[in-house]
Amino acid sequence: MAPRFDNERKTIDLAVADLLEAQLLRSLGFANRGGYERLWLGQAIHSRYQEEALGEDASYRREVTISHRFVHRGYEVTVHGRIDGLRRNPGGGWVIEEIKSVRRGVGLSPAAQELYQRQAALYGWLLAHKLRAEGEASPHIEVELVLIEIGSDRLERQPVELKLPVIEALVKRRLNGLIRAHQQAAAARDARRRAAAELRFPYPEMRRGQERIVERVREVLADGSHLLLEAPTGIGKTVAALFPALRHVLRHDRRLFVLTAKTLQQEMATEVLELLNQDDAFRALRLRAKAKMCANDQLVCHEEYCDYAKDYYAKLQESGVVLRLLEGHRTLLPDDVFAAARRALVCPFEVSLELAERAQVTVCDYNYAFDPYVALSAFHADADLSDVVVIVDEIHNLVARGRGYYSPLLSARDIRRAAAEAAAGGAPIHHRIAELCLVLARLIEGLVDEVEPAAAKDDWAVEQRFPEDGLWRLRPQLDQVFVDYLEFRRETHSLSPDDRFVEQYFGVLKFLNALTLSDGAFSHFVERRGEDRRWRILCKDPSRFLGAVINRCHSVVGLSATLSPHAFYRDLLGFDRDRTERLSLPSPFPPENRRVVIDSSVATTYRERPRNYPRIAERLARFADEVPGNCLALFPSYAFLAQVAGLLRCERKRVLVQARSDSDEEREAILQTLRSALLRDVLLLAVAGGVFAEGVDYPGDMLKAVAVVGPCLPAVTLEQQLLMDYYEERFERGFEYAYVVPGMTRVVQAAGRLIRSADDVGVIALFDKRFLFRTYRQHLPADWLPQDGGSLAGDPAAAAAEFFHALAGEPT
Ligand code: SF4
């Protein structure tokens, strides 16, 4: 974490890492920053060593948190740290262990050695203060670096000299530097604080509902709580949440992260920020994925393979690219960052990360906060988030994303492919990889074959515990061969971004990690998909992990058009109940601009579906033909869509069909046709939850009707059934939470495309009698339902004809 100054209370909170000079940290080199292989291996090696030490030495303690508070230049300073290992010396006194993993035969560079020794000595200094405070006048403390060789597990203990007066002086010198830098930045902070007072809502007036959002967000930020805000599409909730959030972070010197699930939402949020920043009050950055920010011809982040990684820190400083970007752009867009970084011959993605540490606002994907494998350093497990405000757009998507982060799978087919690719290499290391991969593949296949149900069809899945021991036993061998393989690839200059073995190796690590996390919120199962046999871990409830991020933040504001039931989203997203407020707003647009009709003459359950295809096609075509403009029809699946598309006969519409294989260009061509629609109005058949249902906007007159065929329930799979059982046990609402809520969320999200301003008009037609049943009807927005208690049932074609004729002032 960065040092935290509180000028009012005159306090400084900082970590041991903050007391290390930046130059010293950077001396570790570029590979350490993106050096996933060392980091991941390092974690595993540390835990293994600590486990063994715990077993052998009763006095051993691991991950010991420690802090020291003192006064320096009028500030109350608190330094926090965590000691890797602490044990009693048989001769009396204490031994601090700082554990590091090192590459085989290479050892530590002098710079790294100096850094690690300094770090370890600082822990010694912290412990000395603690023991003195506890009454030990002159505690005896030894400090050592425990260096463990990756691959061989060979261990070397290096004593570190602990001269407390020297460390004390170093700490004071570093603190003086930090205080000086803080004071120098005071002018900029004051300017931002003044700008916060001047910040104005970027539109002449607020829509109905926006004032309430602004007020509510202001309140929750003031008292450091969270808000789940449910408001219809088109109300302008993003700007209404961003405006008070910006004021707050600028006034209190906090940082704002705007997290979205889709690129389009990031672009929209960036546009709003640009509008709010007319007075150049802050810096906002939009972060783009690494693969799309790579300037090299292949994504291998290593000095020997990438000119943009080579001498990265030196070039970064010499070129001044970060400062230039910050001075020249209010909003730092990925294209601008890419161009400037490439000109300076430094990695554009790394430059984005540098900027993310300095910008007041960062707009990025959910992954950068919640995915444990790609999260920004600001969101690391032990990062202090108390000065971070987060706005999560379309937060309903985060439940499934969160589950995905902790639900890995092992595929025997993919592992065999890795074995085959390695075997083709021909070198001894390739043979070792191939052999090990085959052992792993056979382990997976053996269990799947063993438990295959007698009456199994091609694809099946059953809940099953894994023989974990077998997998853990393979782990050291995999580590060893992986390290040797990387060395081989380096020596032969053949590192490649697409390496099946490397991919599978990390897959195994993720799988083992999920195994260690598994509790009642996880299920383990095996499955067969065609020729593939797999082991899968399903995280049914990501609240523990998401909540660990959310509740460390100063405030999190979640936005969506569909956040009901509130308890479902609050609890599964891990929001602290006592700190979480709720605001639910109706549509601000005139109800007469929209007509909702339910066709109860069709049924779309799995059983009834085939019989209903012709009737759905006939009723949908008649409906679309009555709409004077483009019409979007959404289906629960591609298969369902294909069946209806084959029978559809429209007279006045040109029918376009979304295909699973559509490229970005093909999708854009469809949108372009909708925009121009010169030849004839279009009926677009697409899938609910897909890009046309939730990922794109249809401004102006682009869309006049939305039809949703069926309540879009997820397919019945073992995974969904396991979720249902879990929700039944936890909430006593299994079917509703596992099927109805996600299905109806898609329906409401899709229909929300239609009315996004006071000028939009149109018809929403829901095809299925189930929409009239209470189980489903209760998930329709309240303002869709007739205020007079009447029924929504009707013929969509007749309803459309009546609605549009009335609109045109014509008799029906
Ligand atoms: S330019 Fe590409 S390969 Fe080079 S360090 Fe950046 S992301 Fe990695």
Side-chain angles (χ1 to χ4, degrees):
M1 72 171 193
R4 180 136 306 151
F5 284 78
D6 185 325
N7 290 330
E8 279 168 29
R9 291 188 293 136
K10 288 288 270 181
T11 58
I12 309 173
D13 242 32
L14 73 173
V16 162
D18 298 319
L19 289 172
L20 300 166
E21 307 289 338
Q23 270 323 100
L24 214 52
L25 281 171
R26 291 181 168 188
S27 66
L28 285 183
F30 184 88
N32 206 59
R33 189 156 178 173
Y36 53 83
E37 77 273 19
R38 292 201 60 242
L39 214 65
W40 282 49
L41 281 169
Q43 278 169 8
I45 290 165
H46 286 201
S47 336
R48 211 162 49 228
Y49 168 80
Q50 288 168 326
E51 286 291 337
E52 280 169 18
L54 279 172
E56 288 166 7
D57 182 348
S59 75
Y60 194 84
R61 288 155 63 200
R62 66 173 170 187
E63 308 300 336
V64 181
T65 51
I66 188 162
S67 63
H68 173 46
R69 185 170 297 166
F70 57 99
V71 175
H72 180 72
R73 288 179 53 186
Y75 283 94
E76 187 180 86
V77 181
T78 310
V79 181
H80 305 269
R82 195 163 57 197
I83 298 172
D84 286 343
L86 183 63
R87 60 184 159 84
R88 274 287 189 189
N89 197 335
W94 294 92
V95 183
I96 288 176
E97 292 182 342
E98 177 61 24
I99 309 167
K100 298 290 176 200
S101 44
V102 293
R103 273 172 58 200
R104 192 164 48 224
V106 177
L108 288 178
S109 69
Q113 185 127 354
E114 187 187 342
L115 174 79
Y116 296 151
Q117 285 179 349
R118 177 89 58 87
Q119 189 183 358
L122 280 165
Y123 291 128
W125 170 76
L126 281 176
L127 184 64
H129 279 287
K130 179 177 184 295
L131 295 174
R132 277 196 204 124
E134 289 170 358
E136 276 191 56
S138 47
H140 182 73
I141 299 169
E142 290 173 37
V143 181
E144 59 186 28
L145 291 185
V146 179
L147 304 178
I148 308 172
E149 202 173 69
I150 301 170
S152 72
D153 283 0
R154 205 175 62 80
L155 195 135
E156 183 192 345
R157 293 183 187 276
Q158 281 188 1
V160 175
E161 196 176 18
L162 183 62
K163 288 187 180 160
L164 290 174
V166 175
I167 303 289
E168 192 92 29
L170 275 172
V171 169
K172 286 187 178 153
R173 201 172 65 217
R174 178 73 178 135
L175 272 172
N176 289 343
L178 291 170
I179 292 170
R180 214 168 27 249
H182 178 73
Q183 285 165 348
Q184 279 163 2
R189 273 196 309 278
D190 288 346
R192 285 200 294 272
R193 209 164 282 139
R194 283 195 300 278
E198 298 297 315
L199 211 62
R200 295 282 167 264
F201 196 69
Y203 301 107
E205 57 190 44
M206 291 193 195
R207 281 186 190 149
R208 197 146 56 89
Q210 282 184 320
E211 296 104 331
R212 287 189 65 196
I213 299 175
V214 169
E215 189 51 23
R216 206 74 196 92
V217 172
R218 193 191 62 73
E219 285 167 4
V220 297
L221 291 179
D223 69 7
S225 48
H226 306 311
L227 177 68
L228 283 172
L229 165 64
E230 184 179 40
T233 313
I235 200 169
K237 51 186 173 295
T238 308
V239 64
L242 271 174
F243 172 57
L246 264 172
R247 267 194 166 169
H248 178 94
V249 297
L250 296 180
R251 185 171 292 152
H252 297 278
D253 196 26
R254 296 198 158 110
R255 296 168 67 198
L256 175 63
F257 287 85
V258 183
L259 308 178
T260 79
K262 299 195 171 92
T263 314
L264 181 80
Q265 291 155 357
Q266 284 169 29
E267 286 165 8
M268 282 172 7
T270 316
E271 281 165 21
V272 173
L273 285 165
E274 183 74 24
L275 284 176
L276 281 161
N277 201 11
Q278 296 303 316
D279 294 335
D280 199 7
F282 59 90
R283 291 291 168 270
L285 166 79
R286 176 142 59 84
L287 211 54
R288 190 188 271 162
K290 188 177 197 171
K292 291 188 177 165
M293 282 298 271
C294 178
N296 198 19
D297 51 3
Q298 53 173 347
L299 197 118
V300 179
C301 306
H302 191 283
E303 288 95 332
E304 292 166 21
Y305 289 78
C306 171
D307 284 343
Y308 302 90
K310 198 167 174 201
D311 303 325
Y312 171 79
Y313 289 114
K315 286 191 289 189
L316 194 71
Q317 271 168 350
E318 278 161 24
S319 66
V321 62
V322 170
L323 210 60
R324 232 183 9 260
L325 278 163
L326 285 166
E327 282 170 357
H329 301 263
R330 284 184 310 204
T331 309
L332 296 145
L333 298 173
D335 285 345
D336 297 330
V337 175
F338 185 89
R342 191 161 66 167
R343 269 197 305 275
L345 258 185
V346 284
C347 168
F349 183 71
E350 288 295 322
V351 170
S352 314
L353 298 183
E354 303 274 351
L355 291 166
E357 285 175 18
R358 292 165 175 80
Q360 284 73 46
V361 189
T362 302
V363 181
C364 57
D365 190 274
Y366 297 167
N367 296 352
Y368 291 108
F370 294 108
D371 183 342
Y373 303 106
V374 299
L376 297 173
S377 59
F379 287 92
H380 278 182
D382 48 7
D384 181 348
L385 295 173
S386 59
D387 265 353
V388 167
V389 173
V390 177
I391 293 180
V392 189
D393 203 13
E394 305 291 359
I395 195 171
H396 62 276
N397 291 311
L398 187 56
V399 177
R401 276 279 193 104
R403 281 200 293 256
Y405 296 143
Y406 297 91
S407 299
L409 75 84
L410 288 179
S411 149
R413 183 193 55 197
D414 292 349
I415 292 166
R416 279 190 177 273
R417 282 181 182 160
E421 186 178 273
I429 181 72
H430 291 122
H431 292 302
R432 280 171 61 202
I433 290 172
E435 266 173 36
L436 207 50
C437 283
L438 289 176
V439 173
L440 181 59
R442 282 195 287 268
L443 182 72
I444 295 165
E445 290 160 352
L447 178 68
V448 179
D449 292 344
E450 194 183 313
V451 301
E452 177 162 352
K457 301 193 189 111
D458 284 351
D459 291 350
W460 55 267
V462 293
E463 213 175 347
Q464 175 66 40
R465 289 219 66 80
F466 307 124
E468 290 184 28
D469 283 357
L471 206 52
W472 283 111
R473 268 199 302 277
L474 279 178
R475 169 71 199 266
Q477 296 173 59
L478 279 165
D479 289 349
Q480 196 154 348
V481 83
F482 178 73
V483 173
D484 291 346
Y485 182 58
L486 285 190
E487 288 302 304
F488 170 82
R489 291 290 231 173
R490 279 192 187 110
E491 281 162 15
T492 54
H493 208 78
S494 59
L495 274 175
S496 145
D498 309 307
D499 189 308
R500 287 185 197 274
F501 170 62
V502 172
E503 196 183 314
Q504 292 309 314
Y505 172 77
F506 286 122
V508 173
L509 294 201
K510 276 191 184 182
F511 200 85
L512 288 171
N513 194 28
L515 275 179
T516 58
L517 296 170
S518 286
D519 58 11
F522 286 76
S523 282
H524 297 172
F525 61 100
V526 299
E527 65 180 17
R528 188 168 189 131
R529 289 276 170 270
E531 287 305 302
D532 195 13
R533 281 163 280 188
R534 302 168 173 176
W535 291 5
R536 290 187 57 183
I537 295 176
L538 171 67
C539 171
K540 295 175 285 195
D541 179 354
S543 60
R544 173 158 58 113
F545 311 108
L546 301 178
V549 176
I550 288 170
N551 297 314
R552 275 188 294 139
C553 293
H554 173 77
S555 279
V556 175
V557 177
L559 314 176
S560 174
T562 45
L563 279 182
S564 298
H566 171 71
F568 172 83
Y569 286 103
R570 182 198 58 202
D571 293 348
L572 278 184
L573 291 168
F575 279 89
D576 179 347
R577 286 179 185 209
D578 299 332
R579 272 179 73 199
T580 306
E581 307 284 326
R582 170 192 193 183
L583 177 63
S584 191
L585 294 172
S587 169
F589 307 123
E592 59 275 15
N593 284 9
R594 179 196 56 214
R595 172 80 194 265
V596 182
V597 58
I598 294 175
D599 188 342
S600 59
S601 76
V602 297
T604 70
T605 59
Y606 288 104
R607 208 158 31 86
E608 294 170 297
R609 208 173 271 184
R611 254 190 302 123
N612 277 265
Y613 289 144
R615 186 168 178 80
I616 294 168
E618 187 255 323
R619 309 258 306 171
L620 178 60
R622 281 209 300 112
F623 167 67
D625 279 339
E626 291 297 341
V627 175
N630 296 325
C631 182
L632 172 67
L634 296 159
F635 293 79
S637 68
Y638 283 101
F640 193 165
L641 184 160
Q643 291 292 343
V644 174
L647 299 168
L648 201 74
R649 301 287 174 267
C650 277
E651 287 176 14
R652 294 194 285 275
K653 287 280 178 289
R654 185 175 160 204
V655 178
L656 299 180
V657 179
Q658 180 189 11
R660 200 192 292 269
S661 56
D662 280 349
S663 62
D664 287 353
E665 290 73 29
E666 283 163 325
R667 282 183 198 145
E668 187 46 42
I670 290 178
L671 283 176
Q672 196 46 43
T673 311
L674 283 167
R675 272 184 215 117
S676 50
L678 285 177
L679 301 173
R680 243 187 319 164
D681 292 339
V682 168
L683 165 61
L684 171 60
L685 307 183
V687 288
V691 64
F692 292 113
E694 292 182 25
V696 295
D697 239 355
Y698 301 93
D701 277 347
M702 208 167 150
L703 208 59
K704 286 291 182 199
V706 172
V708 187
V709 183
C712 300
L713 306 190
V716 179
T717 58
L718 174 65
E719 192 171 328
Q720 221 55 39
Q721 296 296 100
L722 291 168
L723 287 177
M724 183 169 79
D725 294 346
Y726 178 82
Y727 295 150
E728 186 60 36
E729 204 176 313
R730 182 162 175 198
F731 304 102
E732 295 182 354
R733 293 166 85 168
F735 178 69
E736 185 188 350
Y737 281 8
Y739 289 96
V740 180
V741 169
M744 292 303 289
T745 299
R746 285 179 180 177
V747 171
V748 177
Q749 283 286 334
R753 304 290 99 188
L754 191 60
I755 310 286
R756 303 175 71 93
S757 78
D759 301 327
D760 291 341
V761 293
V763 177
I764 297 166
L766 308 177
F767 287 78
D768 193 322
K769 61 185 175 191
R770 281 180 290 171
F771 286 114
L772 292 176
F773 299 173
R774 192 179 167 280
T775 314
Y776 299 88
R777 193 175 185 272
Q778 66 179 348
H779 292 286
L780 295 175
D783 57 10
W784 285 20
L785 306 174
Q787 299 307 306
D788 58 5
S791 171
L792 289 173
D795 173 9
E802 187 187 291
F803 177 82
F804 288 109
H805 280 120
L807 209 63
E810 299 165 1
T812 40

